Amino acid sequence: MKILGIDPGLRTTGFGVIHKQGNTLSYIASGTIKTPDGDLPSRLKVILASVGEVVKSYAPDCAAIEKVFVNVNPQSTLLLGQARGAAICALVAADLAVAEYTALQVKQAVAGHGRAQKAQVQEMVARLLKLPGLPGSDAADALGVAICHAHGGGVLSDLGALAPALARKGIRMRGGRLVG
């Protein structure tokens, strides 16, 4: 199975393609999509078209994308959400199933803990995929999203969707266990 991971961003969107066969992961490609300075609609058009080109070039079987986190600046969060929306539109236009993962889920799947630094994620991505060097941070994040999907698939996505409901009931995760 070929998995396309996307790390959305308005200035730089990372992408990574991996192959999963059994429990073995192998690297296919990664890179970044950079948008030129300019108005928002033209930048979103670049993301939409470029993600579509990545899909055409590598023909993935499925895709995974990082969920938006809430920044201190609401305007930044809205812009990131629009970039993410453009990427998702390109993926669903290509008839790909799209899974969504939080940064915490990705870091846990790749580095073993949710508070991993970017450098730790880059290092672990390079190790897991047996890369000769470290990928750029945006490409590493995208490869991490793909690895997260390969490791957990729908299970991590389902758990992420359940988290808000569990939190409303006073149930939290502590030391890898659910506590109420």
Side-chain angles (χ1 to χ4, degrees), residues 25-133:
L25 301 179
S26 55
Y27 174 85
I28 296 175
S30 64
T32 56
I33 298 163
K34 297 196 184 286
T35 61
D37 290 335
D39 64 331
L40 179 64
S42 63
R43 295 173 95 179
L44 296 176
K45 181 180 178 182
V46 168
I47 294 169
L48 180 73
S50 299
V51 171
E53 283 301 313
V54 168
V55 170
K56 284 180 190 171
S57 296
Y58 298 104
D61 300 306
C62 59
I65 190 166
E66 190 172 304
K67 285 184 180 180
V68 173
F69 61 92
V70 177
N71 288 311
V72 174
N73 180 346
Q75 183 64 25
S76 296
T77 304
L78 288 170
L79 291 172
L80 178 58
Q82 290 174 332
R84 185 174 174 275
I88 290 172
C89 286
L91 298 170
V92 298
D95 293 322
L96 290 174
V98 180
E100 302 172 67
Y101 299 99
T102 64
L104 179 79
Q105 289 172 308
V106 172
K107 289 175 181 181
Q108 282 183 311
V110 173
H113 60 93
R115 299 202 194 290
Q117 300 296 317
K118 277 204 176 276
Q120 290 173 300
V121 172
Q122 283 177 287
E123 180 66 35
M124 287 307 298
V125 164
R127 284 184 185 186
L128 290 168
L129 297 175
K130 297 175 181 76
L131 300 177

Side-chain angles (χ1 to χ4, degrees), residues 12-32:
T12 306
T13 293
F15 70 89
V17 185
I18 64 171
H19 184 259
K20 178 184 180 188
Q21 186 166 357
N23 289 329
T24 304
L25 301 179
S26 55
Y27 174 85
I28 296 175
S30 64
T32 56

